[in-house]
Amino acid sequence: MAVPVRNPADRLLHALAQLSAAPIPRELITPALVAPPRDLSQSAIDRALDQLRRHHLVTARSTVKVHPLARQVVRLMARPAPADWALGIENALIGFTLDRLAQTSSPDPVLPLLVPHLVRLTMIDAWHSYRAVRALLNSLADRLRRHGDTDAAVTVLRRILKANELRYSATHPRASRCRRNLAAALQELGRHREAARLHRATYDIRRRTLGADHPHTLRSQRDHADALPVLGRHRKAAELYRAELETRAQREDHPNTLDTRTRLATALHALGRYEEAADLHRAVLTVRRRTRGERHPSTLRARVDLAVTLDALGRTGEAAELRGEDHRST
């Protein structure tokens, strides 16, 4: 049964109740949010909001919150929400978010407040813009990370992950991609143990569902290995890198082979296995010289890597010769 819409306050309360229980930005409460026919002016919306506030159905300051009992009653009176109501609220919320994202590249305190309401859209089957909302949430997370608010970005990414797991499953490819993005953000915050657990979970899921030699599984294996050295788990990282090399079985000059060999050599160096590390660095340097040339940045990086390991072996003369005159101070 549709909720009565006899007056603007009824209509506004119904629209607000369809959103999340989280605070609602005051700027979002416009005629566009109220279900059709949209014949209300902004002043009428403001008067309706003040009426709801005076009857203690909402609190209204810089943000608006609907009283929990009022929300529950309104939702029960309109279950499921009529399609025109749902579509109108959905379009208003998505359009408002897009406008805020487009207005400025600087931090916007309103954007994080929109996250729980966008997430609610992803969990309602009757509302049909899941892909658009997911894309908005990812854009919002990227914006927050660019402005250094990685904590807020992590909150957004957690919500995206939960929404994907609820809508699909924990093993769905979209959930795995969300888990990877969340782990990367946690690493930026220095929360390496949490990040490693997420990478391990994605690796285990992909190995079980896709197989050990699938490219996505191998990427997750690399992500998991990359997260371990900062935790002091060099031995496990070396095992994973070596397993990746054996599984990929690619030619020696393939970029993945060279990158993994370098990572393996670094892990072995951290374990004090300098001879093995030097052999790997030397093999990478040989390929880099042949395929990139002596002065390419990747070749120079390989020279430095080998020189550092040779220093650890006490072979400082060879290390200095590798660095060359321009690199003696490295």
Side-chain angles (χ1 to χ4, degrees):
M1 178 180 69
V3 70
V5 290
R6 291 185 297 271
N7 60 62
D10 284 338
R11 293 159 65 177
L12 179 58
L13 180 60
H14 181 90
L16 297 178
Q18 303 309 313
L19 298 173
S20 166
I24 303 165
R26 182 65 183 79
E27 297 91 330
L28 177 61
I29 303 174
T30 65
L33 187 68
V34 180
R38 294 188 181 87
D39 54 359
L40 298 177
S41 65
Q42 185 61 53
S43 60
I45 292 292
D46 292 339
R47 288 194 298 272
L49 183 62
D50 186 59
Q51 183 180 349
L52 295 175
R53 182 189 59 77
R54 284 187 279 107
H55 286 84
H56 306 290
L57 295 172
V58 303
T59 58
R61 296 183 179 87
S62 59
T63 60
V64 175
K65 291 194 71 174
V66 179
H67 191 284
L69 182 59
R71 172 181 288 101
Q72 184 177 1
V73 169
V74 169
R75 287 185 180 176
L76 286 172
M77 292 176 68
R79 181 179 289 178
D84 57 348
W85 287 89
L87 184 60
I89 295 167
E90 178 180 351
N91 289 339
L93 182 54
I94 292 174
F96 180 80
T97 307
L98 285 171
D99 287 343
R100 301 295 297 205
L101 284 169
Q103 281 175 11
T104 177
S105 59
S106 60
D108 183 349
V110 172
L111 286 173
L113 297 176
L114 299 173
V115 173
H117 308 295
L118 290 167
V119 169
R120 175 164 163 73
L121 294 187
T122 69
M123 299 181 182
I124 300 178
D125 291 337
W127 296 3
H128 304 296
S129 294
Y130 178 72
R131 290 184 179 179
V133 173
R134 190 181 68 237
L136 277 179
L137 286 168
N138 278 305
S139 296
L140 179 53
D142 289 341
R143 170 75 65 85
L144 292 168
R145 288 174 73 179
R146 285 200 305 272
H147 290 297
D149 195 354
T150 310
D151 280 308
V154 164
T155 299
V156 177
L157 291 167
R158 285 195 194 280
R159 289 181 178 272
I160 300 172
L161 176 58
K162 182 178 180 180
N164 275 283
E165 289 179 339
L166 289 173
R167 190 176 182 91
Y168 301 108
S169 70
T171 61
H172 193 277
R174 287 195 180 97
S176 293
R177 287 194 293 270
C178 291
R179 204 174 289 109
R180 186 173 190 257
N181 292 338
L182 174 57
L186 288 168
Q187 285 175 306
E188 289 180 17
L189 290 173
R191 293 158 65 175
H192 300 291
R193 200 169 300 279
E194 293 176 74
R197 283 198 295 266
L198 286 168
H199 283 311
R200 173 61 186 270
T202 302
Y203 172 47
D204 288 343
I205 288 170
R206 285 179 165 171
R207 184 173 51 182
R208 186 173 66 252
T209 59
L210 300 176
D213 58 350
H214 192 280
H216 291 168
T217 305
L218 292 170
R219 184 173 68 178
S220 297
Q221 183 176 348
R222 167 80 66 83
D223 289 339
H224 178 39
D226 288 347
L228 296 176
V230 72
L231 298 173
R233 300 179 61 190
H234 303 288
R235 191 178 307 281
K236 181 61 177 179
E239 291 175 6
L240 289 168
Y241 291 136
R242 200 180 295 281
E244 181 189 345
L245 286 171
E246 293 172 356
T247 303
R248 286 189 187 276
Q250 293 168 324
R251 63 182 189 273
E252 67 170 10
D253 61 347
H254 192 283
N256 286 333
T257 302
L258 295 171
D259 288 345
T260 306
R261 279 183 170 178
T262 299
R263 285 170 163 80
L264 174 57
T266 301
L268 292 172
H269 183 111
L271 290 169
R273 294 159 63 176
Y274 303 126
E275 288 288 358
E276 295 173 77
D279 289 343
L280 283 167
H281 281 313
R282 186 175 287 105
V284 171
L285 177 58
T286 299
V287 175
R288 295 290 192 198
R289 281 171 163 162
R290 185 179 73 247
T291 59
R292 298 289 190 175
E294 194 65 45
R295 302 302 300 173
H296 191 276
S298 61
T299 306
L300 297 176
R301 180 69 258 176
R303 285 170 58 182
V304 171
D305 289 338
L306 177 55
V308 168
T309 303
L310 291 173
D311 276 334
L313 286 166
R315 293 153 64 176
T316 55
E318 293 178 66
E321 185 178 349
L322 263 177
R323 290 189 175 98
E325 291 294 332
D326 296 335
H327 300 277
R328 287 189 185 279
S329 61
T330 301

